Amino acid sequence: MYVLSIDQGTTSTRAIIFDKRANVVSRAQQEFPQIYPRPGWVEHSPQDIIGSTMAVVSEALARANLSAQDIAAVGITNQRETTLVWDKKTGKPIYNAIVWQCRRTAAYCENLKREGFSEKIYNKTGLVPDAYFSATKIKWILDNVEGARERAERGELAFGTVDVYLLWQLSRGKIFATDYTNASRTMLFNIHTLKWDNELLRLFDIPESMLPEVHPSSYNYGCTDARLLGSAVPVCGVAGDQQAALFGQLCTNRGDVKNTYGTGCFLLMNTGSKAVKSQNGLVTTLGATVGDKPCYVLEGSVFVGGAIVQWLRDEMGIISSSADSEVQATKVNDSGGVYVVPALTGLGAPYWNSSARGLITGITRGTARSHIIRAALEGIAYEVCDLVQAMEKDAGVKIVRLAVDGGACNNNFLMQFQSDILNCTAVRPEISETTALGAAYLAGLSARVWQSLDEIKSNFAVEREFTPHMDGLERIRLLEGWREAVKKANL
């Protein structure tokens, strides 16, 4: 029995097929273009999203010499908050997908804060008013695409995060649904009642007819259209990428913590059945659910994490590949006093400053390329450290074990520095594709490929643990320098 996981990310789409022991049988990946219409604006072509999805699914099946009939279930995990609006009859989007990183609605969000809506929004959704989330992106499309609002009010338009769009396209319009984790990132979903919130819909002037049904993450959503893959396959798991990664790391107990090092960095703590209210700039959101009982998490999001390495490679041209960053960073003993604050699209948690900008500080005549590269990697670890410290204050516990995943977690220098600066153990699993694995687990549990969490946990293995070696006084000195650098970026 096999489970197919579709991992639709910010810069690429992957399809991974897992067997019953959670081994990777085959995988395929395809990058797609990023669209930047204006500074701070980020879009994707919907055709690129669905086109890359179909391509990698077909390739993964072919590489494994399997057909759709061999797949017991499909799990979908996706870049969250990214917003699409399409015609319900034709399935054709009326605008490009507005990506989670896009800051076009930042000024509107600042107005919401000034008008006193922050507490109401947080109390209902666990989120802060920010352009990061979907609600203001939907409003922007309705306000700026000709005829969109009138069509929406007539019930002709559908909204969805990427998972909804994929479900719709894969089923040829038969499935219009999402899960709790993705709904909780829209700023329209009440995470306590588990329903779309009418008061927030009125605030953002969004018709309820646009919104999908909402179900648990491990749930039989329906089948793909048989004409697409040659056979109908049930989609039995859906979760936003970070909650999927938390589940894939098997952080299913209260207090378990993971950090994903992807385009951004995302630190999540399982808080069980209790929604913990943050006093330190984090958000409260829903975790992946098996059954109807909600699971809550605390989350801190860094907008630019591993993307700073892409920037060094693609825009600055000072490394030839992501792997080269580790080689260069280890050529020097320290950053030479250089700090890189990776605020290329503003600062997320715990600062929530959309006007902050990236910064390189501490440069001297002796600064070499390797110092800047090392400082960029350290900057990622410092950002995560800020999140961890905020989370420790909110949860009232000291984090001593951090599960890590995402592409950048394969950088051994970064992982060791992360362990050192946090003074905690960083644990890298044998299967680093934990986002896709989490979606597979959710789908497989619903389809009875796996009978229980205990069966799944028997497959988990650690690839490497990184333990702290840094002197305490050195840690304090470095963190003081980082805080000074962040103050400059926040000006």
Side-chain angles (χ1 to χ4, degrees):
M1 300 176 77
Y2 301 95
V3 178
L4 167 65
S5 187
I6 296 171
D7 182 357
Q8 204 299 301
T10 307
T11 58
S12 69
T13 304
R14 289 179 291 179
I16 302 178
I17 298 174
F18 296 93
D19 65 16
K20 188 172 170 59
R21 293 195 59 79
N23 296 312
V24 175
V25 176
S26 73
R27 75 183 84 201
Q29 180 170 347
Q30 185 176 112
E31 292 189 2
F32 56 87
Q34 309 295 297
I35 302 168
Y36 305 103
R38 299 184 191 176
W41 290 30
V42 191
E43 297 176 1
H44 290 156
S45 162
Q47 185 54 50
D48 286 341
I49 291 174
I50 189 63
S52 61
T53 298
M54 294 308 302
V56 295
V57 167
S58 297
E59 185 179 345
L61 287 169
R63 286 184 173 182
N65 196 27
L66 298 173
S67 71
Q69 292 179 330
D70 298 309
I71 303 300
V74 174
I76 294 174
T77 182
N78 56 285
Q79 51 169 317
R80 303 171 306 169
E81 300 93 19
T82 294
T83 297
L84 296 104
V85 175
W86 63 91
D87 185 291
K88 287 182 178 179
K89 287 185 178 179
T90 66
K92 184 177 179 180
I94 66 169
Y95 191 77
N96 276 342
I98 300 181
V99 179
W100 59 273
Q101 295 167 310
C102 187
R103 308 306 296 170
R104 74 185 65 192
T105 60
Y108 175 73
C109 291
E110 291 304 314
N111 286 337
L112 288 174
K113 294 176 185 177
R114 283 193 291 269
E115 291 169 10
F117 287 105
S118 294
E119 185 174 2
K120 181 183 292 291
I121 289 171
Y122 182 85
N123 286 339
K124 288 173 176 287
T125 70
L127 309 178
V128 299
D130 192 85
Y132 181 24
F133 306 110
S134 307
T136 61
K137 303 179 194 298
I138 306 170
K139 177 175 170 56
W140 188 94
I141 291 174
L142 296 183
D143 289 344
N144 288 275
V145 175
E146 186 177 354
R149 184 163 294 285
E150 292 77 12
R151 294 174 67 190
E153 289 170 353
R154 292 196 298 265
E156 298 174 4
L157 299 182
F159 149 73
T161 42
V162 170
D163 59 304
V164 185
Y165 182 66
L166 290 179
L167 283 169
W168 181 286
Q169 294 293 336
L170 291 171
S171 67
R172 298 275 179 101
K174 291 185 177 65
I175 305 173
F176 184 37
T178 188
D179 86 304
Y180 291 151
T181 67
N182 280 294
S184 71
R185 310 300 294 186
T186 62
M187 215 155 58
L188 298 171
F189 191 73
N190 191 312
I191 63 173
H192 308 289
T193 65
L194 303 182
K195 296 182 183 299
W196 298 113
D197 191 273
N198 289 326
E199 189 176 6
L200 293 176
L201 290 174
R202 288 192 297 270
L203 174 63
F204 294 106
D205 199 12
I206 295 170
E208 188 173 4
S209 61
M210 294 183 70
L211 305 178
E213 296 177 356
V214 188
H215 301 294
S217 307
S218 185
Y219 179 86
N220 191 330
Y221 286 80
C223 290
T224 63
D225 189 281
R227 291 167 290 180
L228 291 178
L229 300 175
S231 179
V233 184
V235 181
C236 294
V238 174
D241 52 10
Q242 301 316 315
Q243 288 97 327
L246 188 72
F247 199 82
Q249 287 274 23
L250 299 178
C251 293
T252 56
N253 296 317
R254 185 174 178 270
D256 290 346
V257 186
K258 74 88 194 172
N259 189 66
T260 295
Y261 299 81
T263 302
C265 286
F266 303 90
L267 184 78
L268 274 69
M269 173 186 282
N270 185 330
T271 63
S273 59
K274 181 182 179 183
V276 175
K277 187 172 183 178
S278 176
Q279 305 293 332
N280 295 281
L282 304 181
V283 300
T284 306
T285 197
L286 286 165
T289 50
V290 179
D292 294 325
K293 187 177 179 181
C295 167
Y296 293 94
V297 298
L298 270 175
E299 176 175 335
S301 304
V302 166
F303 296 152
V304 174
I308 194 68
V309 179
Q310 293 176 320
W311 178 77
L312 291 176
R313 181 193 66 193
D314 299 338
E315 273 67 51
M316 299 301 289
I318 61 174
I319 56 173
S320 57
S321 67
S322 297
D324 188 39
S325 65
E326 181 178 350
V327 174
Q328 294 297 323
T330 55
K331 286 185 176 181
V332 289
N333 294 326
D334 53 42
S335 68
V338 176
Y339 285 87
V340 174
V341 182
L344 304 185
T345 56
L347 284 170
Y351 305 101
W352 296 107
N353 183 355
S354 61
S355 63
R357 288 296 175 260
L359 178 75
I360 303 176
T361 185
I363 296 173
T364 68
R365 182 63 184 83
T367 299
R369 179 169 67 119
S370 294
H371 291 114
I372 294 174
I373 295 166
R374 180 175 177 129
L377 293 176
E378 291 179 353
I380 299 171
Y382 287 130
E383 289 181 305
V384 174
C385 187
D386 287 340
L387 298 181
V388 168
Q389 290 176 344
M391 195 165 281
E392 288 176 335
K393 291 176 184 175
D394 280 335
V397 297
K398 167 65 180 170
I399 294 172
V400 296
R401 183 185 188 276
L402 179 68
V404 300
D405 56 62
C409 88
N410 295 309
N411 187 307
N412 291 326
F413 167 79
L414 174 58
M415 291 301 97
Q416 185 58 56
F417 188 80
Q418 186 72 86
S419 172
D420 285 336
I421 208 68
L422 286 177
N423 195 28
C424 85
T425 300
V427 182
R428 187 167 65 197
E430 194 169 274
I431 299 177
S432 61
E433 300 280 8
T434 52
T435 303
L437 184 58
Y441 282 156
L442 291 164
L445 284 167
S446 176
R448 309 303 289 173
V449 174
W450 296 289
Q451 303 303 310
S452 66
L453 275 174
D454 287 338
E455 182 182 355
I456 285 174
K457 288 179 179 179
S458 68
N459 296 326
F460 188 81
V462 172
E463 186 267 330
R464 182 170 172 181
E465 292 190 355
F466 297 84
T467 56
H469 304 300
M470 184 178 287
D471 175 75
L473 292 176
E474 175 68 0
R475 183 180 301 112
I476 292 170
R477 184 186 71 80
L478 290 174
L479 286 171
E480 286 176 348
W482 165 251
R483 293 187 186 104
E484 288 302 313
V486 170
K487 285 180 185 177
K488 297 172 185 176
N490 267 312
L491 291 177

